[in-house]
């Protein structure tokens, strides 16, 4: 069959590798919608990049399909409902009504609805909201894949499979991809997961999104010096900046090399510091040339600081109109709403001033290479961690482990800020003082290095020591979700050893809430692996029945909910019924409530009969006597590998989901100026680094 895309596809050159899949640099992960014919490999793709596991469906003939709830959760696999001549309702290419038609009906593209461009000052540009990736392998490849999977189970879409059927389905997806592209929707094509993504590159086409190709400047004339510099290889329209300790005003765009050195940026008199993100223990080839943006003053024992990361391929608008940055830095009025843009191009920063009044001024902070100073900066914190955990980061011997666990259980019987239930036992609710800000950590699922990273950054240990913060862990610290680690229970045991030591060291400042994985339940499984039972058996083997019994007691003693005047924190979502404080306190008398608080997830478009909703959140907040603006922060839901947090999850104001188990590094929430600010850290092999440290000799 004729392929309308055959001669108009160009490879996208600016790529990054995410879990073995090449994706365009600059593409926002949560914009990604993956579609394609049956058998193209979409489900495997979604699993590989850790997108949403549930398939979605949108009817492209319906007005406002771009607001469909299936598109809220991204990236995910989406099936397309398409218009065919002579058929009133939209059909997928595997619907029986379509397949039974002979000859098969013609695609009627004129009935497709196109989202508005949103050109008005208050209009949403729905075309920029999504990026559609069409996974369209060659017909023979898809046919062979669908034949091969028939031996793995029953797939109704493969009934009466023929190469002709596959060719027709692929032809339809090619037509739809081209039509959507020409209509101004962001589209790119991939012929297979091992193939590079490609953009549609028609003659005189104007719809070339920035993530698909980095725009190149017009070549300067060879009659100028700039033209000759361009010719001999200095092909950049922005001057390379040589920063010194003399403040210089930036005139036009300028570039700063990723040379390991920090610099300060002055917006009026307001100062920001840009520092290359230098990770410890990571091979040079694996280093990602990201930058940190932070205030010049460092963290200290009474407060943690916020910061922003600008990853390779990202562009940031810096100014008061960027709400996320404004929450972190609290920009004064002298900073314009859009003061400048900064783009990270392979580690080098391209800076473009936008405000002519105050401008942008730059100065080198110091000439020493940050890589030279990094070991000294981090050394003291890592030494503190090693001392805190008693030396080597490794599993405790059985007698010491049992002694530690018993000590923590005795502490939990009289845990600070804990309300006792009707039976005189520690209840399910912790009420924390409003005067002390929380640091909230999501599911860590046995990623011990992530816990160590969180503890070693931003003066957290010092803040815990001075009672300046409360550390809240939202449960599920155990049971790895990595495919090759699910049966490894030693990392889970080590994780709990470290958390127990933290609790014992900071009894009034470290709190662990119960999650659904905090159990030995044989039904607790992931990917067919009974992780609850495996953990119990491994603990019996290493530490004996007394330890297992004490661990079961620990699970029973854990609280389910922590709250203060401005927030509620629990592992999963709110219950579907009205509850008050007394219900949470006496949670042992209500197993169904305990189940909801540890297992419920936000309602999805394809599971409208289950999951919590905006109404449940409002009722939960009111039942606990908290004001309308109080945040609900939960874990339990794995998020994408680019970020560990989802602010305003489900478009619900004040509802945030946090996940801290990514191999790429953890995310946390801290509070700055009474606002919850997400931070993300890069991963570092800290177990190895700490274990190699030599502790200083003490007299």
């Amino acid at each position: 069959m004729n392929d309308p895309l055959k001669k108009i596809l160009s490879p996208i050159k600016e790529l990054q590798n995410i879990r073995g899949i090449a994706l365009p640099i600059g593409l926002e992960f949560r914009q990604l919608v993956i579609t394609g014919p049956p058998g193209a490999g979409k489900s495997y793709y979604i699993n590989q990049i850790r997108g949403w596991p549930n398939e979605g469906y949108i009817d492209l003939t319906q007005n406002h399909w771009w607001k469909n709830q299936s598109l809220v959760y991204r990236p995910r696999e989406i099936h397309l409902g398409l218009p065919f001549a002579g058929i009133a309702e939209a059909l997928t290419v595997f619907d029986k009504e379509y397949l039974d038609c002979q000859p098969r009906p013609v695609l009627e593209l004129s009935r497709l609805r196109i989202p508005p461009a949103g050109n008005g000052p208050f209009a949403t540009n729905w075309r920029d909201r999504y990026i559609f990736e069409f996974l369209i392998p060659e017909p023979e490849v898809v046919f062979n894949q669908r034949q091969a999977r028939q031996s793995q189970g029953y797939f109704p879409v493969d009934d009466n499979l023929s190469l002709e059927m596959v060719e027709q389905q692929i032809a339809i997806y090619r037509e739809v991809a081209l039509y959507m592209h020409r209509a101004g929707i962001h589209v790119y094509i991939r012929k297979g997961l091992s193939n590079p993504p490609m953009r549609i590159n028609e003659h005189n086409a104007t719809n070339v999104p920035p993530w698909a190709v980095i725009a190149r400047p017009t070549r300067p004339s060879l009659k100028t010096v700039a033209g000759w510099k361009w010719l001999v290889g200095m092909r950049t329209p922005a001057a390379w900046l040589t920063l010194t300790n003399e403040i210089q005003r930036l005139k036009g765009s300028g570039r700063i090399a990723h040379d390991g050195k920090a610099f300060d940026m002055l917006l009026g008199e307001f100062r920001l510091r840009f520092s290359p993100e230098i990770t410890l223990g990571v091979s040079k080839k694996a280093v990602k040339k990201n930058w940190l943006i932070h205030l010049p003053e460092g963290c200290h024992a009474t407060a943690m600081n916020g910061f922003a990361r600008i990853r390779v391929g990202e562009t940031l608008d810096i100014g008061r109109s960027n709400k996320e940055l404004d929450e972190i830095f609290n920009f004064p009025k002298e900073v314009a709403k859009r003061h400048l843009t900064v783009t990270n191009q392979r580690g080098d920063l391209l800076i473009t001033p936008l405000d002519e009044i105050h401008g942008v001024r730059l100065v080198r902070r110091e000439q020493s290479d940050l890589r030279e100073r990094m070991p000294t900066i981090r050394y003291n914190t890592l030494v503190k961690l090693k001392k805190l955990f008693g030396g080597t980061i490794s599993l405790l011997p059985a007698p010491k482990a049992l002694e530690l666990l018993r000590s923590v259980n005795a502490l939990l019987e009289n845990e600070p800020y804990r309300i006792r239930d009707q039976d005189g036992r520690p209840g399910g609710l912790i009420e924390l003082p409003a005067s002390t800000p929380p640091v909230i950590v999501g599911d860590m699922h046995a990623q011990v290095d992530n816990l160590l990273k969180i503890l070693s950054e931003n003066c957290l240990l010092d803040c815990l020591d001075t009672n300046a913060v409360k550390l809240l862990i939202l449960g599920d610290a155990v049971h790895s979700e990595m495919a090759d680690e699910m049966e490894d229970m030693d990392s889970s045991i080590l994780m709990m050893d470290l958390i127990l030591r933290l609790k014992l060291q900071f009894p009034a400042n470290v709190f662990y809430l119960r999650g659904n994985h905090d159990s030995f339940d044989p039904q607790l499984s992931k990917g067919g692996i009974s992780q609850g039972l495996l953990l119990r058996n491994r603990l019996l083997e290493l530490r004996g029945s007394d330890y297992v019994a004490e661990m079961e007691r620990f699970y029973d003693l854990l609280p389910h909910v922590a709250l203060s005047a401005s927030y509620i924190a629990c592992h999963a979502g709110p219950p579907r019924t009205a509850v008050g404080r007394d219900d949470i306190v006496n949670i042992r008398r209500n197993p169904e409530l305990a189940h909801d608080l540890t297992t419920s997830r936000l309602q999805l478009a394809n599971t409208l009969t289950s999951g919590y909703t905006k109404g449940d959140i409002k009722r939960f907040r009111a039942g606990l006597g908290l004001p309308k603006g109080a945040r609900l922060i939960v874990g339990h839901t794995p998020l994408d590998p680019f970020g560990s947090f989802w602010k305003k999850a489900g478009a619900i104001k004040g509802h945030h989901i946090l996940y801290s188990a990514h191999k790429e590094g953890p995310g946390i929430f801290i509070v700055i100026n009474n606002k919850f600010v997400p931070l993300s850290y890069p991963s570092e092999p800290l177990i190895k680094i700490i274990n190699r440290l030599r502790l200083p000799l003490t007299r």
Side-chain angles (χ1 to χ4, degrees), residues 15-179:
L15 301 175
Q16 57 187 328
N17 189 285
I18 303 298
R19 302 191 186 280
I21 306 295
L23 289 171
I25 286 179
L27 175 148
E28 289 290 335
F29 196 68
R30 293 193 182 104
Q31 289 178 283
L32 189 57
V33 177
I34 297 168
T35 190
K42 301 183 296 296
S43 298
Y44 175 82
Y45 184 3
I46 287 292
N47 291 334
Q48 184 77 5
I49 62 174
R50 298 215 179 139
W52 288 92
N54 306 94
E55 299 173 6
Y57 169 82
I58 53 172
D59 179 350
L60 294 182
T61 70
Q62 292 294 311
N63 200 16
H64 303 301
W65 61 256
W66 43 92
K67 298 181 182 180
N68 189 293
Q69 284 294 303
S70 288
L71 295 171
V72 170
Y73 308 99
R74 305 183 298 270
R76 76 183 305 176
E77 173 184 351
I78 294 290
H79 299 297
L80 303 181
L82 302 170
F84 294 95
I87 302 175
E89 294 183 355
L91 300 175
T92 68
V93 295
F94 52 83
D95 277 331
K96 190 173 186 297
E97 293 84 349
Y98 167 76
L99 294 174
D100 285 348
C101 288
Q102 293 296 336
R104 300 236 163 81
V106 176
L107 191 63
E108 202 168 41
L109 291 170
S110 61
R111 287 166 54 194
L112 290 184
R113 301 283 186 170
I114 302 302
N119 295 321
F122 304 107
T124 299
N125 188 340
W126 288 99
R127 298 184 194 179
D128 283 344
R129 181 66 62 90
Y130 310 111
I131 296 172
F132 283 82
E133 174 176 336
F134 281 75
L135 183 58
I136 313 178
E138 293 299 324
E140 292 78 12
V141 173
V142 174
F143 179 69
N144 291 334
Q145 288 176 173
R146 291 175 68 175
Q147 277 191 319
R149 74 182 185 181
Q150 287 178 337
S151 62
Q152 302 170 9
Y154 175 58
F155 294 86
V157 296
D158 294 339
D159 285 348
N160 303 314
L161 183 66
S162 67
L163 180 58
E164 181 189 14
M165 177 199 299
V166 173
E167 289 173 339
Q168 289 173 337
Q169 292 171 336
I170 285 177
I172 286 170
Y173 269 86
R174 286 169 175 164
E175 286 187 63
V176 173
L178 183 57
Y179 184 86

Side-chain angles (χ1 to χ4, degrees), residues 479 519-522 524-525 529-537:
H479 300 158
S519 166
F520 292 139
D521 187 349
L524 186 61
S525 66
I529 298 169
S530 182
Q531 291 181 309
L533 192 58
L534 278 177
L535 180 57
R536 185 180 189 278
N537 291 341

Side-chain angles (χ1 to χ4, degrees), residues 258-506:
H258 189 283
D259 58 2
K261 298 175 184 177
F263 66 91
D264 283 2
M265 175 184 289
L266 284 79
L267 312 178
E269 295 304 316
F270 184 77
R271 186 179 291 247
L272 289 174
R273 181 156 294 159
F274 285 69
S275 301
E277 184 178 79
I278 309 297
T279 47
L280 299 179
V282 178
S283 67
K284 190 173 182 180
K285 289 183 178 179
V287 168
K288 297 174 181 176
K289 295 182 177 181
N290 302 327
W291 287 75
L292 300 179
I293 309 173
H294 54 101
L295 296 174
E297 59 269 20
C299 62
H300 44 82
T302 59
M304 296 175 66
N305 286 343
F307 58 86
R309 296 171 75 197
I310 178 166
R311 298 174 175 86
V312 172
E314 286 184 340
T315 296
L316 278 185
D317 271 353
I318 297 180
R320 288 183 287 115
S321 63
N322 187 324
K323 293 183 179 179
E324 291 186 359
L325 291 187
D326 195 34
E327 285 181 352
I328 297 172
F329 301 122
N330 193 23
F331 292 125
K333 288 186 178 180
E334 63 189 286
V335 176
K337 289 186 177 180
R338 293 187 69 235
H339 207 110
L340 72 149
T341 63
V342 181
T343 300
N344 185 339
Q345 292 189 349
R346 300 179 181 177
D348 301 328
L349 294 184
L350 173 61
I351 302 173
T352 303
L354 301 175
D355 177 69
E356 296 181 359
I357 299 174
H358 295 99
V360 176
R361 294 180 295 157
L362 305 171
V363 61
R364 178 67 74 191
R365 180 180 173 233
E366 54 186 46
Q367 290 299 326
S368 60
D369 192 314
L370 192 63
R371 293 178 179 87
E372 299 167 6
R373 295 181 288 110
M374 180 62 70
T376 304
I377 295 171
R378 295 287 302 281
Y379 176 76
N380 290 335
T381 302
L382 297 180
V383 165
K384 284 181 185 178
L385 273 178
K386 191 162 187 174
K387 288 180 177 179
L388 174 64
F389 294 132
T392 303
I393 307 294
S394 59
L395 293 179
L396 291 173
K400 284 189 176 181
L402 182 58
E403 179 185 358
L404 172 63
L405 182 53
R406 282 175 172 165
S407 298
V408 171
N409 283 345
L411 190 157
L412 291 178
E413 289 282 4
N414 297 281
E415 189 171 21
Y417 308 110
R418 193 88 170 266
I419 304 171
R420 293 199 167 272
D421 64 18
Q422 293 176 355
D423 301 316
R425 301 195 63 198
L429 181 65
I430 291 176
E431 294 197 63
L432 296 171
S435 58
T436 308
V439 174
I440 301 179
V441 179
D443 308 25
M444 287 185 287
H445 285 298
Q447 300 305 313
V448 178
D449 279 330
N450 283 4
L451 173 63
L452 296 174
K453 179 65 176 176
I454 291 167
L455 294 172
S456 67
E457 289 285 351
N458 216 340
C459 299
L460 176 54
L461 278 184
D462 292 336
C463 289
L464 289 172
D465 210 26
T466 60
N467 304 313
V469 298
K470 304 294 185 189
L471 178 63
L472 278 176
I473 302 172
L474 302 182
D476 279 16
V478 298
H479 300 158
S480 176
E481 296 199 321
M482 304 298 151
D484 56 343
E485 299 174 0
M486 287 186 183
E487 296 185 43
D488 170 29
M489 293 296 123
D490 285 8
S491 57
S492 293
I493 298 170
L494 176 58
M495 174 70 85
M496 291 313 302
D497 283 351
L498 299 182
I499 289 174
L500 294 174
R501 290 292 288 268
L502 277 176
K503 181 63 180 175
L504 200 60
Q505 180 73 20
F506 307 107

